[in-house]
Amino acid sequence: MRLTQTTRQTEPGRKPTFFSGSGGLYSTAGDYLRFCQILLNGDQLHGKRLLAKATVDFMMRSQVPREVIPPDGRKGYGFGFGAAVLIDPAASETLSFEGEYNWGGANGAYFWIDRKNELASLWMVQRPPFVPPPSKRFKVLTYQALEN
């Protein structure tokens, strides 16, 4: 087997030189937020059931045993299907709640779903590479704005 270097897929109209399970996905902010709302609701959007609630619950639960999560990885997080799942808020050293489901894209998009606080949040930028500090500040400001 021989490894060869490939170029990154950065333009939506360009045919990919390699295929990835999630790399190179494009969406509008509105559609991305609707997807987040479906996950927050557990199965539906605008009264129309789109997914089985059990499927969404399963996606948003860590599927990785704690003992195999690398110690130098995302502290406090496991991985569900499609995104990270917060399993230990204290270890994460972030303002978050157990069960939070989130992911950041290569060009700066970031979402998190917090079912405990009924919150679906989306941060959209196009600034490669992904730089977490602005999205982390956005998250802190969002939680500060919530009323008890």
Side-chain angles (χ1 to χ4, degrees), residues 30-47:
D31 283 346
Y32 203 155
L33 188 58
R34 281 189 281 281
F35 175 68
C36 290
Q37 188 67 53
I38 292 167
L39 296 177
L40 177 65
N41 294 346
D43 64 350
Q44 61 179 298
L45 183 65
H46 306 302

PDB file of all heavy atoms in Angstrom, residues 30-47:
ATOM      1  N   GLY A  30     -29.945  28.283   7.667  1.00  0.00           N
ATOM      2  CA  GLY A  30     -31.328  27.907   7.970  1.00  0.00           C
ATOM      3  C   GLY A  30     -31.535  26.405   8.038  1.00  0.00           C
ATOM      4  O   GLY A  30     -32.182  25.892   8.955  1.00  0.00           O
ATOM      5  N   ASP A  31     -30.995  25.679   7.066  1.00  0.00           N
ATOM      6  CA  ASP A  31     -31.139  24.219   7.061  1.00  0.00           C
ATOM      7  C   ASP A  31     -30.377  23.574   8.209  1.00  0.00           C
ATOM      8  O   ASP A  31     -30.848  22.617   8.824  1.00  0.00           O
ATOM      9  CB  ASP A  31     -30.670  23.628   5.731  1.00  0.00           C
ATOM     10  CG  ASP A  31     -31.689  23.810   4.625  1.00  0.00           C
ATOM     11  OD1 ASP A  31     -32.859  24.141   4.930  1.00  0.00           O
ATOM     12  OD2 ASP A  31     -31.318  23.633   3.451  1.00  0.00           O
ATOM     13  N   TYR A  32     -29.205  24.102   8.505  1.00  0.00           N
ATOM     14  CA  TYR A  32     -28.407  23.569   9.611  1.00  0.00           C
ATOM     15  C   TYR A  32     -29.163  23.767  10.923  1.00  0.00           C
ATOM     16  O   TYR A  32     -29.243  22.859  11.756  1.00  0.00           O
ATOM     17  CB  TYR A  32     -27.058  24.284   9.642  1.00  0.00           C
ATOM     18  CG  TYR A  32     -25.927  23.553  10.328  1.00  0.00           C
ATOM     19  CD1 TYR A  32     -24.618  23.837   9.979  1.00  0.00           C
ATOM     20  CD2 TYR A  32     -26.126  22.604  11.326  1.00  0.00           C
ATOM     21  CE1 TYR A  32     -23.548  23.200  10.601  1.00  0.00           C
ATOM     22  CE2 TYR A  32     -25.068  21.966  11.951  1.00  0.00           C
ATOM     23  CZ  TYR A  32     -23.786  22.272  11.581  1.00  0.00           C
ATOM     24  OH  TYR A  32     -22.736  21.645  12.199  1.00  0.00           O
ATOM     25  N   LEU A  33     -29.748  24.940  11.098  1.00  0.00           N
ATOM     26  CA  LEU A  33     -30.508  25.206  12.320  1.00  0.00           C
ATOM     27  C   LEU A  33     -31.751  24.320  12.408  1.00  0.00           C
ATOM     28  O   LEU A  33     -32.099  23.839  13.480  1.00  0.00           O
ATOM     29  CB  LEU A  33     -30.882  26.677  12.418  1.00  0.00           C
ATOM     30  CG  LEU A  33     -31.499  27.104  13.739  1.00  0.00           C
ATOM     31  CD1 LEU A  33     -30.574  26.803  14.924  1.00  0.00           C
ATOM     32  CD2 LEU A  33     -31.819  28.596  13.709  1.00  0.00           C
ATOM     33  N   ARG A  34     -32.405  24.068  11.283  1.00  0.00           N
ATOM     34  CA  ARG A  34     -33.560  23.151  11.289  1.00  0.00           C
ATOM     35  C   ARG A  34     -33.122  21.748  11.720  1.00  0.00           C
ATOM     36  O   ARG A  34     -33.823  21.081  12.473  1.00  0.00           O
ATOM     37  CB  ARG A  34     -34.223  23.112   9.917  1.00  0.00           C
ATOM     38  CG  ARG A  34     -35.126  24.318   9.665  1.00  0.00           C
ATOM     39  CD  ARG A  34     -35.944  24.166   8.396  1.00  0.00           C
ATOM     40  NE  ARG A  34     -35.183  24.452   7.194  1.00  0.00           N
ATOM     41  CZ  ARG A  34     -34.913  25.680   6.739  1.00  0.00           C
ATOM     42  NH1 ARG A  34     -35.363  26.731   7.379  1.00  0.00           N
ATOM     43  NH2 ARG A  34     -34.231  25.838   5.639  1.00  0.00           N
ATOM     44  N   PHE A  35     -31.964  21.304  11.235  1.00  0.00           N
ATOM     45  CA  PHE A  35     -31.440  20.000  11.657  1.00  0.00           C
ATOM     46  C   PHE A  35     -31.200  19.994  13.172  1.00  0.00           C
ATOM     47  O   PHE A  35     -31.575  19.046  13.867  1.00  0.00           O
ATOM     48  CB  PHE A  35     -30.153  19.689  10.894  1.00  0.00           C
ATOM     49  CG  PHE A  35     -29.483  18.421  11.349  1.00  0.00           C
ATOM     50  CD1 PHE A  35     -30.064  17.186  11.124  1.00  0.00           C
ATOM     51  CD2 PHE A  35     -28.261  18.472  12.004  1.00  0.00           C
ATOM     52  CE1 PHE A  35     -29.446  16.017  11.549  1.00  0.00           C
ATOM     53  CE2 PHE A  35     -27.639  17.311  12.436  1.00  0.00           C
ATOM     54  CZ  PHE A  35     -28.229  16.079  12.208  1.00  0.00           C
ATOM     55  N   CYS A  36     -30.598  21.066  13.687  1.00  0.00           N
ATOM     56  CA  CYS A  36     -30.368  21.169  15.129  1.00  0.00           C
ATOM     57  C   CYS A  36     -31.685  21.131  15.895  1.00  0.00           C
ATOM     58  O   CYS A  36     -31.786  20.507  16.954  1.00  0.00           O
ATOM     59  CB  CYS A  36     -29.605  22.457  15.460  1.00  0.00           C
ATOM     60  SG  CYS A  36     -27.894  22.462  14.925  1.00  0.00           S
ATOM     61  N   GLN A  37     -32.708  21.790  15.359  1.00  0.00           N
ATOM     62  CA  GLN A  37     -34.018  21.811  16.019  1.00  0.00           C
ATOM     63  C   GLN A  37     -34.635  20.416  16.067  1.00  0.00           C
ATOM     64  O   GLN A  37     -35.234  20.029  17.065  1.00  0.00           O
ATOM     65  CB  GLN A  37     -34.957  22.782  15.301  1.00  0.00           C
ATOM     66  CG  GLN A  37     -36.264  23.015  16.035  1.00  0.00           C
ATOM     67  CD  GLN A  37     -36.081  23.739  17.349  1.00  0.00           C
ATOM     68  OE1 GLN A  37     -35.478  24.795  17.395  1.00  0.00           O
ATOM     69  NE2 GLN A  37     -36.621  23.182  18.426  1.00  0.00           N
ATOM     70  N   ILE A  38     -34.461  19.636  15.012  1.00  0.00           N
ATOM     71  CA  ILE A  38     -34.958  18.254  15.000  1.00  0.00           C
ATOM     72  C   ILE A  38     -34.275  17.460  16.115  1.00  0.00           C
ATOM     73  O   ILE A  38     -34.933  16.737  16.869  1.00  0.00           O
ATOM     74  CB  ILE A  38     -34.710  17.572  13.638  1.00  0.00           C
ATOM     75  CG1 ILE A  38     -35.571  18.216  12.558  1.00  0.00           C
ATOM     76  CG2 ILE A  38     -34.993  16.075  13.720  1.00  0.00           C
ATOM     77  CD1 ILE A  38     -35.162  17.833  11.149  1.00  0.00           C
ATOM     78  N   LEU A  39     -32.955  17.614  16.244  1.00  0.00           N
ATOM     79  CA  LEU A  39     -32.232  16.899  17.298  1.00  0.00           C
ATOM     80  C   LEU A  39     -32.686  17.353  18.676  1.00  0.00           C
ATOM     81  O   LEU A  39     -32.863  16.531  19.583  1.00  0.00           O
ATOM     82  CB  LEU A  39     -30.724  17.098  17.150  1.00  0.00           C
ATOM     83  CG  LEU A  39     -30.092  16.529  15.881  1.00  0.00           C
ATOM     84  CD1 LEU A  39     -28.604  16.859  15.827  1.00  0.00           C
ATOM     85  CD2 LEU A  39     -30.325  15.032  15.782  1.00  0.00           C
ATOM     86  N   LEU A  40     -32.898  18.645  18.837  1.00  0.00           N
ATOM     87  CA  LEU A  40     -33.379  19.159  20.121  1.00  0.00           C
ATOM     88  C   LEU A  40     -34.762  18.600  20.440  1.00  0.00           C
ATOM     89  O   LEU A  40     -35.025  18.169  21.558  1.00  0.00           O
ATOM     90  CB  LEU A  40     -33.420  20.687  20.105  1.00  0.00           C
ATOM     91  CG  LEU A  40     -33.967  21.349  21.362  1.00  0.00           C
ATOM     92  CD1 LEU A  40     -33.063  21.086  22.562  1.00  0.00           C
ATOM     93  CD2 LEU A  40     -34.113  22.853  21.140  1.00  0.00           C
ATOM     94  N   ASN A  41     -35.644  18.586  19.463  1.00  0.00           N
ATOM     95  CA  ASN A  41     -37.008  18.087  19.671  1.00  0.00           C
ATOM     96  C   ASN A  41     -37.027  16.572  19.878  1.00  0.00           C
ATOM     97  O   ASN A  41     -37.986  16.034  20.402  1.00  0.00           O
ATOM     98  CB  ASN A  41     -37.891  18.428  18.474  1.00  0.00           C
ATOM     99  CG  ASN A  41     -38.104  19.909  18.317  1.00  0.00           C
ATOM    100  OD1 ASN A  41     -37.824  20.705  19.208  1.00  0.00           O
ATOM    101  ND2 ASN A  41     -38.572  20.314  17.143  1.00  0.00           N
ATOM    102  N   GLY A  42     -36.010  15.902  19.405  1.00  0.00           N
ATOM    103  CA  GLY A  42     -35.939  14.457  19.584  1.00  0.00           C
ATOM    104  C   GLY A  42     -36.448  13.653  18.421  1.00  0.00           C
ATOM    105  O   GLY A  42     -36.162  12.462  18.330  1.00  0.00           O
ATOM    106  N   ASP A  43     -37.207  14.256  17.503  1.00  0.00           N
ATOM    107  CA  ASP A  43     -37.708  13.469  16.382  1.00  0.00           C
ATOM    108  C   ASP A  43     -38.469  14.270  15.336  1.00  0.00           C
ATOM    109  O   ASP A  43     -38.700  13.782  14.253  1.00  0.00           O
ATOM    110  CB  ASP A  43     -38.611  12.343  16.874  1.00  0.00           C
ATOM    111  CG  ASP A  43     -39.894  12.835  17.558  1.00  0.00           C
ATOM    112  OD1 ASP A  43     -40.013  14.037  17.835  1.00  0.00           O
ATOM    113  OD2 ASP A  43     -40.777  11.993  17.811  1.00  0.00           O
ATOM    114  N   GLN A  44     -38.861  15.489  15.617  1.00  0.00           N
ATOM    115  CA  GLN A  44     -39.767  16.170  14.695  1.00  0.00           C
ATOM    116  C   GLN A  44     -39.437  17.650  14.520  1.00  0.00           C
ATOM    117  O   GLN A  44     -38.692  18.230  15.299  1.00  0.00           O
ATOM    118  CB  GLN A  44     -41.203  16.014  15.147  1.00  0.00           C
ATOM    119  CG  GLN A  44     -41.475  16.608  16.524  1.00  0.00           C
ATOM    120  CD  GLN A  44     -42.914  16.442  16.926  1.00  0.00           C
ATOM    121  OE1 GLN A  44     -43.791  16.959  16.261  1.00  0.00           O
ATOM    122  NE2 GLN A  44     -43.143  15.706  17.998  1.00  0.00           N
ATOM    123  N   LEU A  45     -40.050  18.226  13.480  1.00  0.00           N
ATOM    124  CA  LEU A  45     -39.936  19.645  13.211  1.00  0.00           C
ATOM    125  C   LEU A  45     -41.289  20.126  12.717  1.00  0.00           C
ATOM    126  O   LEU A  45     -41.877  19.512  11.820  1.00  0.00           O
ATOM    127  CB  LEU A  45     -38.861  19.913  12.162  1.00  0.00           C
ATOM    128  CG  LEU A  45     -38.590  21.373  11.824  1.00  0.00           C
ATOM    129  CD1 LEU A  45     -38.008  22.106  13.033  1.00  0.00           C
ATOM    130  CD2 LEU A  45     -37.643  21.485  10.633  1.00  0.00           C
ATOM    131  N   HIS A  46     -41.790  21.178  13.310  1.00  0.00           N
ATOM    132  CA  HIS A  46     -43.097  21.753  12.962  1.00  0.00           C
ATOM    133  C   HIS A  46     -44.208  20.702  12.975  1.00  0.00           C
ATOM    134  O   HIS A  46     -45.063  20.659  12.087  1.00  0.00           O
ATOM    135  CB  HIS A  46     -43.049  22.451  11.605  1.00  0.00           C
ATOM    136  CG  HIS A  46     -41.983  23.482  11.492  1.00  0.00           C
ATOM    137  ND1 HIS A  46     -41.894  24.569  12.336  1.00  0.00           N
ATOM    138  CD2 HIS A  46     -40.928  23.591  10.647  1.00  0.00           C
ATOM    139  CE1 HIS A  46     -40.859  25.299  12.008  1.00  0.00           C
ATOM    140  NE2 HIS A  46     -40.245  24.723  11.001  1.00  0.00           N
ATOM    141  N   GLY A  47     -44.156  19.815  13.987  1.00  0.00           N
ATOM    142  CA  GLY A  47     -45.198  18.812  14.152  1.00  0.00           C
ATOM    143  C   GLY A  47     -45.087  17.620  13.223  1.00  0.00           C
ATOM    144  O   GLY A  47     -45.922  16.723  13.264  1.00  0.00           O
TER     145      GLY A  47
END
